[in-house]
Structure formats: structure tokens, C-alpha cells
Amino acid sequence: MGPAVIPKPVSLTPGSGAFVVRASSTVSVTPSNPDTRRVAAALASVLGTKVVRGPAPVTVELAGPAQLGDEGYELTVAPGSIRLVANRPAGLFHGVQTLRQLLPVRGPRRIPAVRIRDRPRFGWRGAMLDVARHFRSVRDVKRFVDLMALYKLNRLHLHLSDDQGWRIAITGWPRLATHGGSTQVGGGTGGYYTQAQYEDIVRYAAARYVTVVPEIDMPGHVHAALSSYPKLACDGKPSQLYTGIDVGFSSLCIDKAVTYEFVSDVVGELARLTPGPWIHIGGDEAMATKTADYVRFVGRVQAIVAEHGKVMIGWEEIGRARLRRGTLVQHWNLDPAKSAVSARAVQQGAKVIMSPADHAYLDMKYDASTSLGLRWAGYTSVQDAYAWDPVRQVAGVGASDVLGVEAPLWSETVQSNRDAEYLAFPRLIGIAEIGWSPARGRSWADYRQRLGAQAPLLDSLGVNFYRAPEVPWRRSS
Ligand code: TNX
């Protein structure tokens, strides 16, 4: 086995010898601009050296062949030099992540000679944090982004509202956050992001080539909003906040004018705070909304999202409505009858993000002995999370329809950062490889070896990962 890189690179050719990292292993960068300098500085910090002007043994160049695309890179490690080349800064950044995995965590600082040419299979490689059921601090979210970046994930979907909590301050609707954000599942104190904190997360992620995708779930999963503003409910009656874990019981009032003032204000604010092109409007499990109302609602909301210059994303159920071409749907349901809506969306010109619950849901228990997590989609072992192909999940949703993969971490049972890491790692690493590496050449037998080799790095970062028994974990000390 060559070096144990995850995601597995498109091509990796071992050379002979190794580059020995010394204090003299400085880094030079061309052309030098704020983006390239930031990546070069990241590389120098991995090596424990610095960026210099003029010749250096380690070079970072933004001058790659066009075939490397927006995110690809080429990395050549030889006994006397390291050369990293890409077309775009994101590619350079991904190359640095590969180098982090090649450098031993302990022992002699030798990077094995190798030539890697690499670029992703899919443009959408995401993870979702449900900060609504249990709130997560800005610090926790940033740490999660750091770990995503290490495995070349590039989309962070934030599920910012649900029945149990509203997690972002919206101008003109202050009670959404101050009241709607004041508790969480189990009755803790909850929390919410100020707009400045949200923008801080967005910037932090962008510096790691991760785009934030904000979700406000509608027309169901809105109890926290209804409790904050009873006029949004059809009966207009005040209600207590909800701290249980049921789904499917709340709905916005589809025929009230105030509903669309609300949607327009919220979508407008999110659009203004979010540089990325997407707004996720939820749309799942709207069991308390009649079908005809649901279809009408999605139609109106997609017009609002478009007015604010964004592309709408919704959970697969939005396939029941008439969609604009270019809408994104997120497939999740395993029930073939229900998941046919993803195919209906594709027939209308939508693209699909694959999050099948029985492979990609990070909140499912690993097996009967896992205490955290749910099990409605079945147990999901590390192998189950890895051994599937996004273009072979749903009849009528093929290679040209799939934009990529995303792994949601629903948080009904997830209270702490340690809990989140335990469920996400190592399964999210497998999702990252599915999103990046060519389907040909991926196998569980090979992957489990490379995954086992990540243990010292994950331990050095203090990640609370699940040491699945089916993986040959390398010892950390
Ligand atoms: C289904 S999947 C949900 C969420 C729950 C999750 C728990 C989806 C779009 N909706 O509301 O948190 O199951 O696994």
C-alpha cells in the first residue's frame, strides 16, 4: 500500500526516498496574492517553517494545467523538493490537506516521495449540522469546519431552525432568536447566532474553501417560529416552546399574507449575510400541511428565493411542486415510493444532492451497542456509510443528475461536541471519499486500511472518533 491518503487521490505514484522536513524547508509562492499567501502560510505551518521570497525547496504555484479544474492539484514530493501546483487557490488548499496526511504525526519528519494528480468527482461534498435540536457554539462549528477541510469537504449546511429552536437573529423579527432560540431538545438553554457570529462562521469556512448553506425549514418544522410569533399560525394562538423530538406537527399558515412577509424578510436577511449562491428552505416532513397548500407554498417561496438572487435547495419533498430548472433537491428518504419525488424533481430540471438516510445519516447508531443516535433508518456501520455510490441510489436519478453527497448530523441525541464527533467520525471521512474519489478504484478492503492509518492524526487533533472494530486502527503511541 502507498501512502494512506483519504480521499483516495485520482492518481498516486510512489517515488523513491523521502523529503526530510527541516528548519530550512521554507516555502515560496507564485504568484503572490492574498489567497495564495494564505495557503502557502498554511503549508509552512504544517511543516513548521515559513514563507520566504525567492527560491525555496517547497514551492506553491498557481499555474496548474486546466484539467485540474477548480479544485484539483498536483503534488510532487522528491528527496530535495516539494512542488504543489493548481489552477485555483482551492486546489492549492486541498493539496496542503494531502500533505498533512503524508507527514507522519510522530517520529522522523519524512514525507515519502510521491507524485499525486488529483481532482474531485463531485463539486458538492457536504456535511450538515443540525444546530436547531441542540445548539452548537461558534467554536464547535469552526472546529467541525477544520475537520471537514482536512478531508476536502466543501459545503457546510447549517440547519438553523426547527420545531425546537430558531438559531439566527433576524432583523424585524427579534423574538425568533430571543424567544425561539431560548431552549432546545431536553429543555437546555439553547442559543442563537447573532448576525456577526453567523458572518464570522461564513468567513472562517470560506478561508478553508467551505461554502456555508443556510437552511430555514418551512412550511413544517416551524414550531419555534410559531411560538415566537403566534400570528404565523392559522389559529393565531400563543403556544409554549417544544423540547421533545417528534416531527411533522407544525405548519406555517399558507394563506395568510403575513406568512410571505415573514418568508421574504428571513430569506432576504439570509441572502444578504450569505455570499454563497444557495438558500435551503427545508420542505421535509410537512405532515401538518395539506398537499395542495404545500405545493402552492413551495411555488411562492421559490419566487422569493429567486428575487433575492439565490438558488433554492429543498429536501426531496419539494419535487411534489412545480420547480424552476436548476433547483437543487436533497434526497434522503429510503422508502422507494416516497423517494420517487427526487426523480420527479430531476424530470423538472433539478439537480440532486445525495443524502440517503441508510448510508449518509450521521445520527444513526453504528450498531446495537451505540448509545447515542437514532435507528429509524437502521444501524449504519462505518462500512455501510462508505460502500455505496451516489449515482446508483434512486431509479431515474443518474450520473448527470447528481451534484454530489452530503452527510447530515441531526442532533436530537447530540448534546456536546464530543457526541457530535463520535457520530460523525469516522463515517464522515467515508462520505468525503465518496464525494471526491473516482468510483472505480474505491473498495472497502483498501479504504479500511487507509482509514486505520488516520488514527494518529485524528488523535493528535483530539477527535473523539468511534474506533469501529472492523477497522485496523494504527496505534497512536
Ligand atoms: C428526519 S431527514 C428528518 C429530521 C430528523 C431526522 C432524524 C429529514 C429531512 N428530516 O427532521 O431530525 O429524520 O434522523
Side-chain angles (χ1 to χ4, degrees):
M1 193 179 71
V5 177
I6 299 180
K8 185 176 186 167
V10 171
S11 98
L12 182 155
T13 316
S16 51
F19 180 94
V20 181
V21 181
R22 302 194 166 86
S24 59
S25 308
T26 52
V27 180
S28 73
V29 54
T30 50
S32 173
N33 64 43
D35 290 329
T36 59
R37 277 199 300 275
R38 193 174 56 211
V39 179
L43 175 49
S45 112
V46 170
L47 299 176
T49 65
K50 44 187 206 279
V51 181
V52 296
R53 285 167 181 275
V58 182
T59 54
V60 172
E61 289 166 50
L62 194 66
Q67 308 94 279
L68 293 176
D70 286 347
E71 293 191 285
Y73 65 93
E74 218 175 82
L75 177 66
T76 312
V77 178
S81 66
I82 297 177
R83 181 167 181 254
L84 171 60
V85 189
N87 255 324
R88 311 268 304 148
L92 294 177
F93 183 82
H94 295 319
V96 173
Q97 306 314 310
T98 297
L99 202 78
R100 284 174 74 188
Q101 295 184 24
L102 293 174
L103 182 67
V105 172
R106 282 165 289 102
R109 298 181 42 89
R110 293 164 55 87
I111 305 177
V114 70
R115 185 185 164 90
I116 294 174
R117 236 175 190 257
D118 206 8
R119 59 176 295 170
R121 177 181 181 195
F122 294 110
W124 191 288
R125 304 179 307 280
M128 187 203 85
L129 288 180
D130 171 6
V131 298
R133 269 56 174 268
H134 283 99
F135 186 58
R136 302 236 63 77
S137 70
V138 172
R139 203 161 146 256
D140 285 357
V141 173
K142 288 180 174 177
R143 178 175 162 83
F144 193 75
V145 168
D146 286 335
L147 295 172
M148 286 174 64
L150 176 58
Y151 295 102
K152 303 186 176 75
L153 292 162
N154 66 354
R155 304 281 183 261
L156 174 65
H157 170 179
L158 291 176
H159 184 75
L160 290 168
S161 70
D162 213 301
D163 291 312
Q164 298 85 349
W166 184 285
R167 306 299 179 201
I168 179 136
I170 301 292
T171 312
W173 299 81
R175 278 178 57 79
L176 290 171
T178 57
H179 173 75
S182 65
T183 191
Q184 58 184 359
V185 167
T189 50
Y192 65 88
Y193 306 122
T194 64
Q195 296 197 350
Q197 286 174 324
Y198 175 80
E199 289 181 294
D200 181 31
I201 292 171
V202 166
R203 266 193 312 270
Y204 187 90
R208 286 150 188 81
Y209 299 93
V210 173
T211 304
V212 170
V213 179
E215 176 188 352
I216 295 295
D217 205 346
M218 306 179 271
H221 291 277
V222 290
H223 182 79
L226 304 187
S227 175
S228 305
Y229 290 96
K231 64 182 173 186
L232 294 172
C234 279
D235 66 11
K237 291 209 181 103
S239 56
Q240 302 288 306
L241 288 166
Y242 176 71
T243 58
I245 65 166
D246 287 347
V247 298
F249 60 87
S250 61
S251 180
L252 290 171
C253 194
I254 304 304
D255 287 320
K256 278 190 180 174
V258 68
T259 297
Y260 301 94
E261 289 164 28
F262 165 78
V263 172
S264 183
D265 287 353
V266 170
V267 168
E269 291 261 290
L270 280 181
R272 182 174 62 73
L273 298 169
T274 306
W278 306 285
I279 300 283
H280 200 308
I281 60 108
D284 59 312
E285 300 173 320
M287 281 102 88
T289 316
K290 292 195 194 88
T291 299
D293 287 351
Y294 178 89
V295 166
R296 216 152 15 94
F297 177 80
V298 171
R300 290 189 69 168
V301 173
Q302 81 178 339
I304 293 169
V305 173
E307 272 165 32
H308 290 285
K310 299 293 181 183
V311 173
M312 185 175 87
I313 310 182
W315 295 103
E316 68 192 25
E317 286 95 324
I318 66 166
R320 290 151 65 194
R322 280 194 51 181
L323 301 177
R324 298 183 178 229
R325 297 193 70 78
T327 299
L328 307 189
V329 302
Q330 187 163 6
H331 173 80
W332 64 277
N333 214 308
L334 10 159
D335 176 340
K338 289 188 185 158
S339 69
V341 290
S342 294
R344 253 166 77 187
V346 161
Q347 285 155 16
Q348 304 187 61
K351 297 286 179 209
V352 179
I353 299 160
M354 276 291 168
S355 304
D358 51 345
H359 296 293
Y361 270 31
L362 300 173
D363 65 316
M364 291 301 123
K365 291 175 183 290
Y366 289 99
D367 61 32
S369 71
T370 316
S371 54
L372 292 170
L374 302 175
R375 52 166 296 184
W376 66 264
Y379 297 128
T380 303
S381 67
V382 174
Q383 182 171 359
D384 294 331
Y386 178 74
W388 61 283
D389 190 331
V391 307
R392 295 170 188 280
Q393 286 298 303
V394 184
V397 181
S400 59
D401 308 314
V402 175
L403 212 61
V405 289
E406 186 177 298
L409 179 51
W410 299 103
S411 69
E412 285 93 334
T413 66
V414 180
Q415 298 192 37
S416 67
N417 201 48
R418 280 184 66 77
D419 293 353
E421 288 183 358
Y422 183 81
L423 289 172
F425 294 94
R427 287 181 292 198
L428 182 58
I429 299 174
I431 301 294
E433 175 149 310
I434 292 171
W436 181 282
S437 308
R440 262 171 85 96
R442 282 211 291 119
S443 75
W444 167 249
D446 164 67
Y447 174 71
R448 65 192 276 278
Q449 299 290 336
R450 283 181 292 115
L451 181 58
Q454 302 294 309
L457 179 56
L458 293 171
D459 278 332
S460 76
L461 297 168
V463 179
N464 181 38
F465 66 99
Y466 168 55
R467 282 185 149 73
E470 68 266 36
V471 178
W473 297 106
R474 192 174 291 171
R475 289 184 42 191
S476 286
S477 52

